[in-house]
């Protein structure tokens, strides 16, 4: 599909005898590609991802942010209409990849950002803060569920009771009690966790299995 689209875009102006017709399109997509690379570098550098180790000794997250701003600025300075088309096209591709859940192996900067924010907020909840004040109290419930041979909770009403107690607030952690003597423990634990997650979703209970 990508090769066919590239051939279609390139063949029409070539057959028409006017290569200048595709110059704005190529320029916009090149600048959009460089802007995306700079944005990704800025995200992983700002999040301090341990797997990101640039070899350029003068690299800094501010340089990546500057490159992102320059690329976007050049796009709109050259042709604002084509820049909007390119940004919309790139956003459409990103939306397609996310909705179709295409298998990818390059990670997700958004997940790293959410993890960093959650970590910072948890560290901020120290005893010196106002978290333990009565007005700020939220229930924190740990549910230990014994499961059957198919990893279904033997007493699913415990999950429903925990959901009623916290009333959509607070923190709920549910764990399955399993006997993993007959199989690989990692696979059994993963299967039990997935079944427990499905039960929480079916009961509309927000929690962490």
């Amino acid at each position: 599909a990508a090769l066919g689209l590239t051939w279609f875009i390139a063949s029409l102006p070539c057959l028409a005898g006017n290569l200048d017709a595709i110059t704005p399109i190529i320029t916009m997509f090149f600048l959009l590609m460089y802007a995306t690379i700079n944005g990704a570098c800025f995200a992983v550098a700002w999040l301090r991802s341990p797997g990101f180790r640039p070899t350029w000794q003068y690299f800094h997250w501010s340089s990546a942010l500057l490159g992102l701003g320059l690329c976007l600025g050049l796009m709109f300075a050259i042709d604002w209409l084509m820049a909007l088309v390119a940004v919309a096209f790139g956003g459409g591709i990103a939306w397609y990849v996310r909705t179709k859940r295409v298998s990818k192996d390059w990670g997700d900067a958004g997940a790293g950002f959410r993890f960093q924010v959650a970590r910072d907020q948890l560290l901020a909840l120290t005893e010196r803060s106002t978290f333990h004040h009565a007005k700020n109290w939220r229930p924190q419930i740990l549910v230990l569920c014994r499961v059957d041979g198919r990893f279904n909770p033997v007493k699913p009403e415990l999950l429903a009771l925990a959901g009623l107690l916290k009333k959509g607030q607070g923190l709920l952690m549910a764990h399955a009690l399993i006997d993993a003597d007959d199989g690989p423990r990692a696979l059994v634990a993963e299967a039990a966790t997935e079944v427990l997650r499905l039960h929480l979703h079916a009961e509309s209970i927000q929690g962490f299995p």
Side-chain angles (χ1 to χ4, degrees):
L3 291 176
L5 179 61
T6 304
W7 173 84
F8 177 76
I9 295 176
S11 62
L12 289 181
C14 291
L15 294 175
N18 185 11
L19 294 178
D20 292 336
I22 63 172
T23 301
I25 301 176
I26 295 177
T27 302
M28 292 303 159
F29 281 108
F30 266 110
L31 288 173
L32 182 62
M33 178 187 66
Y34 296 140
T36 304
I37 294 174
N38 280 284
C41 291
F42 163 73
V44 294
W46 186 71
L47 293 173
R48 298 178 181 177
S49 176
F52 179 67
R53 295 183 291 271
T55 57
W56 187 41
Q57 59 179 344
Y58 301 109
F59 175 82
H60 191 262
W61 62 264
S62 59
S63 62
L65 182 61
L66 178 62
L68 172 63
L70 289 176
C71 289
L72 293 178
L74 284 174
M75 289 175 61
F76 285 93
I78 294 172
D79 191 337
W80 66 270
L81 182 59
M82 292 304 301
L84 289 177
V85 173
V87 171
F89 186 78
I93 294 178
W95 175 83
Y96 175 81
V97 172
R98 181 172 293 275
T99 54
K100 294 299 181 180
R101 299 185 182 275
V102 178
S103 178
K104 54 186 183 300
D105 193 31
W106 57 76
D108 187 0
F113 176 76
R114 291 190 294 270
F115 176 82
Q116 186 70 22
V117 171
R119 172 187 173 275
D120 294 340
Q121 294 302 317
L122 288 174
L123 291 176
L125 294 176
T126 60
E127 294 183 358
R128 292 175 294 179
S129 67
T130 58
F131 173 71
H132 296 283
H133 193 276
K135 294 181 179 180
N136 300 327
W137 180 83
R138 299 291 186 276
Q140 303 177 37
I141 304 175
L142 172 63
V143 181
L144 301 177
C145 300
R146 182 168 294 279
V147 296
D148 56 17
R150 296 185 176 180
F151 309 119
N152 293 307
V154 177
K155 295 183 178 181
E157 57 270 15
L158 289 177
L159 296 175
L161 176 61
L164 291 176
L165 289 176
K166 74 185 192 71
K167 298 183 65 176
Q169 303 294 327
L171 181 64
L172 170 64
M173 292 178 290
H175 294 278
L177 301 178
I178 58 177
D179 296 325
D181 296 335
D182 299 331
R185 295 186 178 182
L187 297 178
V188 173
E190 183 179 356
T193 302
E194 184 61 28
V195 174
L196 195 58
R197 182 181 292 107
L198 293 176
H199 276 276
L200 291 175
H201 181 73
E203 297 292 336
S204 300
I205 301 174
Q206 295 180 349
F208 300 93

